[in-house]
Structures are given as structure tokens and as C-alpha cells.
Amino acid sequence: LAARFDTFDYLRDHWAAGHTEGTGMKQIRQAAIIGGGVIGAGWVARLIEHGIAVNIYDPAPDAEPKINAVLDNSRRAYHKLTPLRPTAEGEILFRTSLAQAVKNAQLIIESVPERLELKQSVYTDIEQAADADALIASSTSGIMPSDLQARMQHPERLFVAHPFNPVYLLPLVELVAGKKTSADTIERASDIYRSLGMYPLHVKKEIEAFIADRLLEAIWRESLWLVSDGIATTEEIDNAVRFGFGLRYAQMGIFDTYRIAGGEAGMRHFMAQFGPCLEWPWTKLTDVPEFNDELVDLIVGQSDAQSGHMSVRQMERIRDDNLIAILHGLKGNNWGAGAILAQHEQFLQAANDD
């Protein structure tokens, strides 16, 4: 038993050592959010909770109440997540023009819809009004940053910072450089996101959809097939994830999970044992079911039956409470996303003590 605990301590310390390199914490004072949808609002929440003032520009007439609804949930979640925070929440100002929003901002986050030409036009407007040294981040889920920066006068300061919903709780942010993004931009951005309690994962080779969304796309496609072929309902698929491998993935990911599955012989044994399965027709990942009204109605009907008795805001609060419980459990073992939370609390405590 003692040997097992020694092994756990080694793995925990090894994980922490491998994931806290370059932990410079460089906070900013002013940020701008362009686009106040689910992701943009999530960025607002994370920024203001760290004492950063945020200017918001979103021309939609209902942008302000929608953002405030997200902030109601985020404030509730942060109160449960940790008692450590700056003495004052960052100020929020809704601006009537993009130029007003980006003025004096050190970090400008674009979270507009996933249309390349729209994003490129936004960058043109940003460059006309932003400070010369401001960083420009795109929240895109999959557009290549080289394509985003193709029409920019100063493309070296644009990069992708792809977060995950809810942005105010999940620490992962994928940082992706375009061909013209400077190394200094990625370094500065990494320090900023660490100061926000996030784990900046530098995707070193540019690719559509980056890392996490490519993995999510695989399981999403297979899930659509399972529903389309009548093999499982949306609820049964969700139960397969949340009662099974989803719990493992939350704290060890994919490869460490399968390393354990290989027993004492480790990953080599697992690969030898399960490698032949790759030749078997277990998935339909190279194809997708026909996306038609019939499939949409089937998915929507099952989803309504599964969770239609709850509002989206109720579901968000349940999700947040569950995520907080998982993060607290992982923090107790100084592991995974919990190690990031513990590290950030140390940073916040030190900042409060100064």
C-alpha cells in the first residue's frame, strides 16, 4: 500500500512539474470583448472576476441582458469555486462602437460568429482603433489563424485562444499561432491566461479545429450515427459517457487511461492487445449520416424528452455545480484541472497578501 501511495505522489508531482513550466503571471488591467454570445460572455465573466475592466461591443439589441444572465451564473459559480479573488470586480462598460471598446485595451477578444469574412472585417476595424501593442485573440472553434490574419496590417499580434464552455470555470485555452504570429505574442498571451487561472495549451502545429474539437467531433459523429441507426437514444448515449469513460477522462485523459488498461506492461501491451481493433468496423468516423430534417427532428425530440423539463439556465447551474465539485475533488489530490485551480489560488493569495 505504501508503494502505491509513493507511486501516486510521484505521478502527481510529475504531472505538476510538467504542466507549470513558464508560469509567469502577467496581469492586464483593460480588455475588450467583441461579440457577446455564450463564449464572449464567458470571457467577460472570467476577466472581471480577476479585477480586469472590460469594454463590450455587440450590436445585438438584447446583448446586454443576455450577458448579464451569464454573469448571474458565473458570480454564483465563482463564489462556490474559491473564496480567493481580487478585492474588486472589474468594471463592465457596454460601448456603442467597436472603436470605443478597443481603445486602451491590452487584450482584445473577438468572439463573433464563425464566418471568415466577418472576422477579417472585424480585425480591420480593430487595427484602426486599437493600441499598437494590444494583443488580438480569436475565440474561433476551428478556423486557421493564418486565414484569420491574411488581411491584417500587423498580423504578428493575432492568435487563436480557443476556450471551452463555461469559459469562467474550465481552465483549458488552446493557443494557436498563424504563420505570421510572433513568438512574443504567444508568450505574452500564455502569461495573461495563466494569470486568469487557465491552462494555455500551445498547439504547435496549425490545423483546423485544433486538438480538443477534433476529438469532440469524432465522438459527436459517432453519436449521430448511433441515434440515426436506432441503436441508442440521446439520453442513453449521455449516460454511457457520464457514468463511464467521461469520469476517467476528467482526470486522466485518453492516453493515461489506456496506459492503465494495459496493466503492469503499460501502453505497449495495450497497443498490442487492442491494436487489431482498428481494423474492425467499430466506428463510422469516416462518414456522417445524412443531415436532413428527419435526423434533426429525431435528435431534437429525444433531447426534449431527456431534458426539456429544465430551462437552459437551470441546466447551466447544475453543470456548474457538478464541475465545481469535480474541480474541488481534483484539487484535493493536486491533480489535473484541480492542480491548476490550486496553483491559481496560491497566486491569488500571494497577490492579496501584497
Side-chain angles (χ1 to χ4, degrees):
L1 183 62
R4 288 188 178 183
F5 276 108
D6 288 343
T7 300
F8 174 82
D9 290 340
Y10 167 78
L11 287 171
R12 179 197 62 202
D13 295 342
H14 175 73
W15 188 96
H19 291 75
T20 57
E21 296 176 359
T23 53
M25 298 288 192
K26 296 182 180 178
Q27 286 188 300
I28 58 174
R29 300 179 305 279
Q30 179 73 52
I33 301 295
I34 309 302
V38 172
I39 297 300
W43 278 124
V44 173
R46 186 172 279 273
L47 289 163
I48 65 171
E49 282 294 337
H50 288 81
I52 298 167
V54 179
N55 286 337
I56 304 169
Y57 175 68
D58 188 320
D62 59 347
E64 186 169 349
K66 284 186 175 181
I67 291 173
N68 285 332
V70 173
L71 296 181
D72 286 343
N73 276 357
S74 69
R75 291 180 176 115
R76 172 183 176 275
Y78 270 121
H79 179 75
K80 291 187 173 187
L81 180 65
T82 178
L84 296 171
R85 56 177 43 84
T87 54
E89 188 180 272
E91 182 183 19
I92 300 174
L93 289 174
F94 289 88
R95 300 297 191 176
T96 56
S97 72
L98 184 148
Q100 287 180 332
V102 303
K103 184 179 180 181
N104 298 325
Q106 297 159 288
L107 176 65
I108 301 166
I109 299 176
E110 168 271 304
S111 298
V112 304
E114 294 283 82
R115 299 198 302 272
L116 178 58
E117 289 190 0
L118 173 62
K119 290 178 181 290
Q120 288 176 334
S121 68
V122 166
Y123 304 144
T124 297
D125 293 341
I126 288 174
E127 287 197 296
Q128 291 176 354
D131 290 356
D133 60 349
L135 296 180
I136 304 173
S138 175
S139 301
T140 180
S141 298
I143 300 175
M144 300 263 273
S146 289
D147 294 332
L148 295 174
Q149 64 189 191
R151 300 179 183 176
M152 294 183 66
Q153 294 180 347
H154 298 284
E156 68 278 358
R157 57 178 172 162
L158 181 131
F159 62 99
V160 165
H162 175 229
F164 293 83
N165 188 38
V167 181
Y168 53 81
L169 283 182
L170 297 184
L172 179 63
V173 56
E174 293 178 309
L175 301 187
V176 192
K179 294 176 182 176
K180 297 180 180 179
T181 306
S182 71
D184 178 67
T185 290
I186 295 299
E187 183 177 350
R188 289 171 59 195
S190 296
D191 287 344
I192 290 171
Y193 291 113
R194 287 191 189 98
S195 77
L196 299 175
M198 304 190 80
Y199 177 71
L201 175 61
H202 183 195
V203 182
K204 298 180 180 63
K205 187 172 182 179
E206 193 178 12
I207 187 173
E208 294 92 342
F210 324 127
I211 296 174
D213 271 0
R214 295 180 77 93
L215 299 173
L216 290 172
E217 174 70 8
I219 193 169
W220 174 241
R221 287 185 181 219
E222 192 62 31
S223 298
L224 291 179
W225 272 119
L226 290 170
V227 174
S228 178
D229 289 347
I231 294 168
T233 65
T234 58
E235 184 172 14
E236 289 166 345
I237 292 169
D238 282 352
N239 287 344
V241 175
R242 63 184 182 143
F243 297 142
F245 63 84
L247 294 172
R248 300 185 308 195
Y249 284 0
Q251 49 91 35
M252 276 201 174
I254 297 172
F255 286 95
D256 270 355
T257 292
Y258 286 149
R259 180 179 180 85
I260 293 174
E264 293 298 326
M267 182 61 83
R268 186 171 299 278
H269 176 66
F270 175 82
M271 294 292 288
Q273 186 174 4
F274 292 97
C277 299
L278 297 176
E279 302 293 329
W280 300 347
W282 277 11
T283 70
K284 295 184 178 181
L285 294 182
T286 58
D287 198 4
V288 291
E290 182 181 352
F291 192 81
N292 52 31
D293 290 343
E294 184 179 359
L295 177 60
V296 172
D297 290 344
L298 181 62
I299 297 290
V300 171
Q302 291 186 5
S303 179
D304 287 347
Q306 177 181 348
S307 303
H309 61 286
M310 294 181 287
S311 71
V312 170
R313 295 293 171 231
Q314 287 176 308
M315 293 182 70
E316 286 175 342
R317 292 196 171 198
I318 293 170
R319 174 204 64 191
D320 290 355
D321 288 347
N322 290 337
L323 287 174
I324 290 166
I326 292 170
L327 287 166
H328 284 169
L330 292 171
K331 187 180 77 168
N333 287 331
N334 196 31
W335 192 269
I340 299 296
L341 175 60
Q343 176 188 324
H344 189 55
E345 286 186 330
Q346 292 175 2
F347 166 68
L348 290 174
Q349 185 64 64
N352 289 342
D353 290 343
D354 288 343

